[in-house]
Amino acid sequence: MIKTIKELLIEWWAGNSTTKMPIPTIYTYEVEVDGRQIQIVSMSRSRICIHYKARKKYPKAKYIRVVSRKRQY
């Protein structure tokens, strides 16, 4: 029997399931863009992905550097 995502979530929240659902991890990155500190939130652990997001958000920036990562749940 194929279960829908809603049914799996209800079972998982009830705690009577053998199905283990992953807890989404949200990361907050501090990024330096042309000397300014900004924060970018992502579900990706990859610094390259964050650099790409910063480049998309600030296309005319001359200098982008990912400074640090903080994990949040």
Side-chain angles (χ1 to χ4, degrees):
M1 181 172 119
I2 298 175
K3 295 183 178 181
T4 64
I5 294 174
K6 184 177 178 182
E7 291 171 345
L8 289 172
L9 284 172
I10 289 171
E11 284 182 8
W12 181 64
W13 283 326
N16 58 2
S17 172
T18 57
T19 306
K20 294 192 176 197
M21 298 289 285
I23 297 173
T25 305
I26 299 171
Y27 298 96
T28 302
Y29 289 85
E30 290 185 6
V31 181
E32 186 177 345
V33 178
D34 290 338
R36 295 184 324 234
Q37 291 280 340
I38 63 165
Q39 289 188 346
I40 296 180
V41 177
S42 177
M43 294 184 76
S44 174
R45 293 179 56 198
S46 173
R47 293 171 85 92
I48 295 171
C49 179
I50 300 307
H51 191 275
Y52 174 73
K53 281 187 170 189
R55 179 62 63 191
K56 251 181 116 172
K57 192 171 183 178
Y58 301 98
K60 295 183 180 182
K62 294 180 182 177
Y63 178 76
I64 294 177
R65 182 174 80 108
V66 179
V67 179
S68 66
R69 174 180 70 197
K70 299 175 187 172
R71 181 181 290 181
Q72 296 176 342
Y73 294 101

